[in-house]
PDB file of all heavy atoms in Angstrom:
ATOM      1  N   PHE A  66      -1.113  20.028  25.902  1.00 98.00           N
ATOM      2  CA  PHE A  66      -1.999  19.903  24.729  1.00 98.00           C
ATOM      3  C   PHE A  66      -1.264  19.146  23.615  1.00 98.00           C
ATOM      4  O   PHE A  66      -1.831  18.298  22.930  1.00 98.00           O
ATOM      5  CB  PHE A  66      -2.420  21.278  24.194  1.00 98.00           C
ATOM      6  CG  PHE A  66      -3.353  22.038  25.105  1.00 98.00           C
ATOM      7  CD1 PHE A  66      -3.718  23.346  24.796  1.00 98.00           C
ATOM      8  CD2 PHE A  66      -3.874  21.451  26.246  1.00 98.00           C
ATOM      9  CE1 PHE A  66      -4.584  24.058  25.622  1.00 98.00           C
ATOM     10  CE2 PHE A  66      -4.730  22.160  27.084  1.00 98.00           C
ATOM     11  CZ  PHE A  66      -5.083  23.466  26.772  1.00 98.00           C
ATOM     12  N   GLY A  67       0.033  19.500  23.463  1.00 98.00           N
ATOM     13  CA  GLY A  67       0.841  18.827  22.443  1.00 98.00           C
ATOM     14  C   GLY A  67       0.963  17.341  22.742  1.00 98.00           C
ATOM     15  O   GLY A  67       0.863  16.505  21.846  1.00 98.00           O
ATOM     16  N   ASP A  68       1.153  17.007  24.047  1.00 98.00           N
ATOM     17  CA  ASP A  68       1.268  15.582  24.431  1.00 98.00           C
ATOM     18  C   ASP A  68       0.016  14.831  23.994  1.00 98.00           C
ATOM     19  O   ASP A  68       0.073  13.741  23.456  1.00 98.00           O
ATOM     20  CB  ASP A  68       1.375  15.434  25.966  1.00 98.00           C
ATOM     21  CG  ASP A  68       2.650  16.067  26.520  1.00 98.00           C
ATOM     22  OD1 ASP A  68       3.565  16.348  25.717  1.00 98.00           O
ATOM     23  OD2 ASP A  68       2.703  16.297  27.738  1.00 98.00           O
ATOM     24  N   ARG A  69      -1.117  15.486  24.248  1.00 98.00           N
ATOM     25  CA  ARG A  69      -2.395  14.826  23.970  1.00 98.00           C
ATOM     26  C   ARG A  69      -2.590  14.578  22.467  1.00 98.00           C
ATOM     27  O   ARG A  69      -3.034  13.512  22.050  1.00 98.00           O
ATOM     28  CB  ARG A  69      -3.510  15.742  24.509  1.00 98.00           C
ATOM     29  CG  ARG A  69      -4.830  15.104  24.452  1.00 98.00           C
ATOM     30  CD  ARG A  69      -5.768  15.802  25.378  1.00 98.00           C
ATOM     31  NE  ARG A  69      -7.123  15.358  25.077  1.00 98.00           N
ATOM     32  CZ  ARG A  69      -8.188  15.828  25.656  1.00 98.00           C
ATOM     33  NH1 ARG A  69      -8.071  16.749  26.575  1.00 98.00           N
ATOM     34  NH2 ARG A  69      -9.381  15.385  25.325  1.00 98.00           N
ATOM     35  N   LEU A  70      -2.216  15.590  21.658  1.00 98.00           N
ATOM     36  CA  LEU A  70      -2.376  15.454  20.204  1.00 98.00           C
ATOM     37  C   LEU A  70      -1.456  14.368  19.654  1.00 98.00           C
ATOM     38  O   LEU A  70      -1.856  13.560  18.807  1.00 98.00           O
ATOM     39  CB  LEU A  70      -2.089  16.796  19.522  1.00 98.00           C
ATOM     40  CG  LEU A  70      -3.187  17.839  19.721  1.00 98.00           C
ATOM     41  CD1 LEU A  70      -2.714  19.218  19.302  1.00 98.00           C
ATOM     42  CD2 LEU A  70      -4.421  17.456  18.904  1.00 98.00           C
ATOM     43  N   LEU A  71      -0.227  14.345  20.158  1.00 98.00           N
ATOM     44  CA  LEU A  71       0.739  13.359  19.679  1.00 98.00           C
ATOM     45  C   LEU A  71       0.295  11.949  20.041  1.00 98.00           C
ATOM     46  O   LEU A  71       0.349  11.033  19.221  1.00 98.00           O
ATOM     47  CB  LEU A  71       2.106  13.681  20.312  1.00 98.00           C
ATOM     48  CG  LEU A  71       3.315  13.007  19.696  1.00 98.00           C
ATOM     49  CD1 LEU A  71       3.444  13.360  18.223  1.00 98.00           C
ATOM     50  CD2 LEU A  71       4.584  13.449  20.433  1.00 98.00           C
ATOM     51  N   GLU A  72      -0.181  11.821  21.274  1.00 98.00           N
ATOM     52  CA  GLU A  72      -0.625  10.506  21.732  1.00 98.00           C
ATOM     53  C   GLU A  72      -1.786   9.999  20.876  1.00 98.00           C
ATOM     54  O   GLU A  72      -1.839   8.832  20.494  1.00 98.00           O
ATOM     55  CB  GLU A  72      -1.066  10.639  23.194  1.00 98.00           C
ATOM     56  CG  GLU A  72      -1.279   9.325  23.884  1.00 98.00           C
ATOM     57  CD  GLU A  72      -1.960   9.527  25.232  1.00 98.00           C
ATOM     58  OE1 GLU A  72      -1.575  10.460  25.972  1.00 98.00           O
ATOM     59  OE2 GLU A  72      -2.890   8.757  25.511  1.00 98.00           O
ATOM     60  N   ASN A  73      -2.703  10.891  20.542  1.00 98.00           N
ATOM     61  CA  ASN A  73      -3.864  10.456  19.760  1.00 98.00           C
ATOM     62  C   ASN A  73      -3.472   9.988  18.357  1.00 98.00           C
ATOM     63  O   ASN A  73      -3.995   9.011  17.850  1.00 98.00           O
ATOM     64  CB  ASN A  73      -4.894  11.587  19.670  1.00 98.00           C
ATOM     65  CG  ASN A  73      -6.301  11.049  19.683  1.00 98.00           C
ATOM     66  OD1 ASN A  73      -6.633  10.227  20.538  1.00 98.00           O
ATOM     67  ND2 ASN A  73      -7.118  11.448  18.729  1.00 98.00           N
ATOM     68  N   LEU A  74      -2.517  10.694  17.737  1.00 98.00           N
ATOM     69  CA  LEU A  74      -2.057  10.267  16.410  1.00 98.00           C
ATOM     70  C   LEU A  74      -1.437   8.875  16.487  1.00 98.00           C
ATOM     71  O   LEU A  74      -1.627   8.043  15.601  1.00 98.00           O
ATOM     72  CB  LEU A  74      -1.038  11.255  15.842  1.00 98.00           C
ATOM     73  CG  LEU A  74      -1.596  12.572  15.292  1.00 98.00           C
ATOM     74  CD1 LEU A  74      -0.469  13.408  14.713  1.00 98.00           C
ATOM     75  CD2 LEU A  74      -2.664  12.334  14.232  1.00 98.00           C
ATOM     76  N   GLY A  75      -0.702   8.648  17.589  1.00 97.00           N
ATOM     77  CA  GLY A  75      -0.078   7.334  17.793  1.00 97.00           C
ATOM     78  C   GLY A  75      -1.135   6.236  17.850  1.00 97.00           C
ATOM     79  O   GLY A  75      -0.944   5.146  17.321  1.00 97.00           O
ATOM     80  N   LYS A  76      -2.296   6.548  18.460  1.00 96.00           N
ATOM     81  CA  LYS A  76      -3.364   5.546  18.591  1.00 96.00           C
ATOM     82  C   LYS A  76      -3.902   5.122  17.225  1.00 96.00           C
ATOM     83  O   LYS A  76      -4.460   4.053  17.075  1.00 96.00           O
ATOM     84  CB  LYS A  76      -4.516   6.114  19.420  1.00 96.00           C
ATOM     85  CG  LYS A  76      -4.224   6.170  20.896  1.00 96.00           C
ATOM     86  CD  LYS A  76      -5.456   6.646  21.629  1.00 96.00           C
ATOM     87  CE  LYS A  76      -5.107   7.004  23.055  1.00 96.00           C
ATOM     88  NZ  LYS A  76      -6.095   7.893  23.652  1.00 96.00           N
ATOM     89  N   ALA A  77      -3.768   6.018  16.227  1.00 96.00           N
ATOM     90  CA  ALA A  77      -4.259   5.678  14.871  1.00 96.00           C
ATOM     91  C   ALA A  77      -3.122   5.104  14.026  1.00 96.00           C
ATOM     92  O   ALA A  77      -3.290   4.910  12.823  1.00 96.00           O
ATOM     93  CB  ALA A  77      -4.855   6.920  14.210  1.00 96.00           C
ATOM     94  N   GLY A  78      -1.982   4.857  14.644  1.00 97.00           N
ATOM     95  CA  GLY A  78      -0.862   4.244  13.906  1.00 97.00           C
ATOM     96  C   GLY A  78      -0.147   5.199  12.971  1.00 97.00           C
ATOM     97  O   GLY A  78       0.538   4.767  12.035  1.00 97.00           O
ATOM     98  N   VAL A  79      -0.267   6.511  13.231  1.00 98.00           N
ATOM     99  CA  VAL A  79       0.392   7.500  12.359  1.00 98.00           C
ATOM    100  C   VAL A  79       1.878   7.591  12.728  1.00 98.00           C
ATOM    101  O   VAL A  79       2.226   7.623  13.916  1.00 98.00           O
ATOM    102  CB  VAL A  79      -0.277   8.894  12.525  1.00 98.00           C
ATOM    103  CG1 VAL A  79       0.450   9.952  11.700  1.00 98.00           C
ATOM    104  CG2 VAL A  79      -1.748   8.827  12.136  1.00 98.00           C
ATOM    105  N   ASP A  80       2.728   7.623  11.712  1.00 98.00           N
ATOM    106  CA  ASP A  80       4.176   7.811  11.915  1.00 98.00           C
ATOM    107  C   ASP A  80       4.389   9.288  12.272  1.00 98.00           C
ATOM    108  O   ASP A  80       4.127  10.175  11.453  1.00 98.00           O
ATOM    109  CB  ASP A  80       4.884   7.439  10.601  1.00 98.00           C
ATOM    110  CG  ASP A  80       6.369   7.750  10.612  1.00 98.00           C
ATOM    111  OD1 ASP A  80       6.851   8.372  11.576  1.00 98.00           O
ATOM    112  OD2 ASP A  80       7.036   7.378   9.623  1.00 98.00           O
ATOM    113  N   THR A  81       4.847   9.546  13.488  1.00 98.00           N
ATOM    114  CA  THR A  81       4.958  10.940  13.964  1.00 98.00           C
ATOM    115  C   THR A  81       6.414  11.419  14.043  1.00 98.00           C
ATOM    116  O   THR A  81       6.712  12.391  14.742  1.00 98.00           O
ATOM    117  CB  THR A  81       4.272  11.102  15.337  1.00 98.00           C
ATOM    118  OG1 THR A  81       4.824  10.135  16.236  1.00 98.00           O
ATOM    119  CG2 THR A  81       2.775  10.922  15.241  1.00 98.00           C
ATOM    120  N   ARG A  82       7.315  10.751  13.309  1.00 98.00           N
ATOM    121  CA  ARG A  82       8.718  11.194  13.343  1.00 98.00           C
ATOM    122  C   ARG A  82       8.872  12.628  12.834  1.00 98.00           C
ATOM    123  O   ARG A  82       9.828  13.319  13.156  1.00 98.00           O
ATOM    124  CB  ARG A  82       9.595  10.267  12.502  1.00 98.00           C
ATOM    125  CG  ARG A  82       9.946   8.966  13.207  1.00 98.00           C
ATOM    126  CD  ARG A  82      10.667   8.043  12.283  1.00 98.00           C
ATOM    127  NE  ARG A  82       9.869   7.739  11.103  1.00 98.00           N
ATOM    128  CZ  ARG A  82      10.354   7.423   9.909  1.00 98.00           C
ATOM    129  NH1 ARG A  82      11.658   7.363   9.733  1.00 98.00           N
ATOM    130  NH2 ARG A  82       9.552   7.161   8.896  1.00 98.00           N
ATOM    131  N   GLY A  83       7.927  13.091  12.026  1.00 98.00           N
ATOM    132  CA  GLY A  83       8.000  14.436  11.456  1.00 98.00           C
ATOM    133  C   GLY A  83       7.294  15.489  12.305  1.00 98.00           C
ATOM    134  O   GLY A  83       7.103  16.618  11.855  1.00 98.00           O
TER     135      GLY A  83
END
Side-chain angles (χ1 to χ4, degrees):
F66 291 174
D68 296 345
R69 188 161 167 184
L70 287 167
L71 195 59
E72 192 191 317
N73 215 49
L74 284 183
K76 285 184 193 159
V79 176
D80 173 353
T81 54
R82 281 173 301 152

